């Protein structure tokens, strides 16, 4: 048996980030920038008012007080996006709105609340310091500054600065096309009435959803019967356009394990036992002229989910250009005791809670059988019980993967 880490290294061997493409801003959210982004102009790009008020020459208001108010003539209005050709001379003011460009000659803005709000003549009762309420060009970003670096993840927080430096598109890696093929004579399309012995193809949907959540452009192929020719045909079709092929089912020791039979005979995939529970039978290799990476996952739904998490998600992330391929682990205190197989790493479905005391605690959920989907639905975390441990004690600190948390 090989370890989880050894199998991860094997599936990742030779996988490289995909080619760089330019995509519209919103399509880039969640993606890794492939190149540095440099601001071609400063931000703000012009001096502008930070308040609704009056643009003035500060020296005009030097002696203003309640007892000796200063009254100025208002030359007109400048709105945000408006014309700033007005030139202020001593003794005049311009009514200005937040974000409007400063008129030439003015060196301060007095907020409207501090005045009588006049439209033709405006009264000031206090002095103003030079530069008050002006946002200076370049005080946020200077021209030529790098506002985001290759490797940064585009997020709702980086989008404002990236959009503001005028980039309609961003350089990212093409999303890998993942084709998911479920195999099994027992599988029917969800929504179809079941006759005895048949089940819905839940893995096809789960794995496609997992791949989409990981950032892939994922599609679910129609399910394939346990028939060598049908599987080969589905595989050849997928190999023509996929960047990654993921199969579910047909890799254990049964008589009708077609995936294993076909791919072992062709030598395209190496099958191995990985010291993990659930999900021991695994396979990986390359198919077709394009040498498309293929990862064959076991059919039991929970095995399939955990295998995806450990072996497929990192491959997708590498193709997308992420530096960190694996979800972070963190310590938590186990609330119950449970058993684990000493020879395998266990990935126990669990609920992770953070108490008012700030301590993270986990309790296992649902049945831990690899066919038990209700527990998976409830789980928010996986507890990793390492090889060598035969149990977890209540109160023990364990290693947890928080499934709701992205990688750091
Ligand atoms: P297999 O690896 O094909 O022997 O399948 C192992 C178990 O997983 C069997 O109980 C299958 O019925 C079940 N299974 C296989 N494929 C799927 C699927 N796509 N959706 C849900 N269960 C499946
Ligand atoms: Mg099967």
């Amino acid at each position: 048996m090989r370890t989880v880490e050894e199998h991860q290294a094997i599936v990742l061997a030779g996988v490289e980030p995909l080619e760089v493409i330019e995509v519209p801003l919103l399509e880039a959210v969640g993606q890794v920038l492939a190149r540095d982004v440099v601001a071609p102009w400063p931000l703000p790009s012009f001096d502008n008012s930070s308040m609704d008020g009056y643009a003035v020459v500060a020296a005009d208001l030097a002696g203003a007080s309640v007892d000796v108010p200063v009254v100025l003539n208002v030359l007109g209005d400048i709105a945000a996006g408006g014309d700033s050709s007005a030139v202020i001379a001593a003794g005049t003011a311009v009514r200005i709105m937040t974000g409007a460009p400063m008129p030439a000659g003015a060196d301060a803005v007095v907020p409207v609340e501090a005045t009588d709000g006049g439209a033709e003549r405006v009264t000031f009762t206090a002095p103003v310091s030079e530069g008050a309420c002006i946002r200076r060009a370049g005080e946020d970003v200077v021209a030529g500054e790098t506002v985001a670096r290759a490797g940064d993840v585009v997020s709702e927080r980086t989008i404002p600065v990236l959009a503001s430096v005028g980039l309609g598109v961003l350089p990212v890696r093409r999303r890998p096309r993942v084709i998911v093929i479920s195999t099994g004579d027992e599988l029917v399309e969800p929504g179809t009435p079941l006759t005895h012995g048949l089940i819905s193809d839940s893995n096809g949907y789960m794995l496609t959803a997992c791949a989409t959540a990981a950032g892939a452009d994922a599609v679910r192929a129609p399910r394939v019967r346990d028939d060598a020719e049908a599987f080969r045909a589905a595989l050849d079709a997928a190999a023509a356009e996929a960047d990654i092929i993921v199969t579910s089912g047909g890799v254990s020791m049964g008589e009708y394990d077609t995936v294993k039979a076909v791919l072992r005979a062709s030598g395209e995939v190496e099958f191995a036992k990985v010291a993990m529970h659930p999900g021991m039978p695994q396979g990986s290799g390359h198919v077709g002229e394009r040498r498309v990476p293929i990862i064959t996952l076991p059919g039991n739904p929970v095995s399939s989910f955990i295998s995806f998490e450990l072996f497929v998600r990192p491959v997708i992330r590498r193709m997308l250009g992420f530096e960190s391929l694996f979800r972070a682990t963190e310590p938590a205190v186990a609330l119950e005791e449970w058993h684990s197989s000493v020879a395998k790493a266990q990935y126990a479905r669990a609920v992770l809670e953070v108490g008012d005391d700030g301590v993270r605690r986990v309790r296992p959920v649902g049945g831990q059988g690899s066919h038990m989907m209700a527990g998976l639905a409830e789980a928010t975390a996986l507890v990793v019980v390492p090889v060598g441990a035969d149990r977890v004690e209540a109160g023990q600190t364990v290693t947890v993967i928080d499934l709701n948390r992205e990688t750091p």
Side-chain angles (χ1 to χ4, degrees), residues 69-89:
V70 169
V71 179
L72 301 180
N73 285 327
V74 179
L75 299 179
D77 285 355
I78 313 178
D83 170 34
S84 64
S85 56
V87 178
I88 293 197

Side-chain angles (χ1 to χ4, degrees), residues 182-183 186-187 199-204 248-252 257 298-301:
S182 311
T183 65
E186 72 279 35
L187 303 178
I199 62 171
S200 296
D201 170 21
S202 58
N203 287 353
S248 122
V251 293
S252 38
D257 283 331
N300 275 308

Side-chain angles (χ1 to χ4, degrees), residues 143-362:
E145 189 174 329
T146 301
V147 292
R149 295 184 186 282
D152 288 353
V153 178
V154 180
S155 73
E156 55 277 31
R157 294 184 304 284
T158 54
I159 280 284
V161 76
L162 294 169
S164 298
V165 296
L167 302 165
V169 292
L170 291 171
V172 297
R173 306 284 169 176
R174 182 172 62 76
R175 291 183 189 276
R177 186 158 183 80
V178 173
I179 298 185
V180 174
I181 306 175
S182 311
T183 65
D185 282 347
E186 72 279 35
L187 303 178
V188 300
E189 192 58 29
T192 315
L194 297 177
T195 53
H196 188 66
L198 302 185
I199 62 171
S200 296
D201 170 21
S202 58
N203 287 353
Y205 285 90
M206 173 187 72
L207 295 169
T208 309
C210 285
T212 305
D217 167 18
V219 290
R220 172 184 165 269
R223 80 99 172 94
V224 179
R225 301 188 67 87
D226 288 315
D227 170 85
E229 259 176 54
F231 178 61
R232 186 77 247 177
L235 209 53
D236 291 345
E241 49 168 323
D243 296 298
I244 306 171
I245 298 172
V246 177
T247 66
S248 122
V251 293
S252 38
M253 307 300 286
E255 283 300 319
Y256 299 92
D257 283 331
T258 314
V259 173
K260 196 175 190 174
V262 168
L263 289 168
R264 181 178 260 170
S266 68
E268 293 161 293
V269 168
E270 186 206 356
F271 292 90
K273 287 184 176 165
V274 178
M276 61 188 276
H277 181 80
M280 185 175 64
Q282 300 288 339
S284 73
H286 298 88
V287 291
E289 276 170 25
R290 294 170 57 242
R291 308 262 312 139
V292 178
I294 179 168
I295 303 171
T296 63
L297 307 183
N300 275 308
V302 183
S303 310
S304 217
F305 175 85
I306 287 167
S307 305
F308 180 95
E309 174 66 28
L310 296 177
F311 307 123
V312 184
R313 188 172 180 273
V315 172
I316 293 173
R317 288 178 68 82
R318 166 128 338 137
M319 288 185 175
L320 286 167
F322 284 94
E323 288 271 322
S324 64
L325 303 183
F326 307 106
R327 252 189 260 262
T329 58
E330 54 191 74
V333 177
L335 287 172
E336 287 170 29
E337 62 164 4
W338 73 88
H339 176 79
S340 176
S341 156
V342 76
K344 296 178 190 171
Q346 185 191 46
Y347 292 82
R349 278 71 68 211
V351 171
L352 177 65
E353 289 155 351
V354 185
D356 292 341
D357 52 7
V359 176
R360 287 186 294 262
R361 298 183 176 85
V362 273

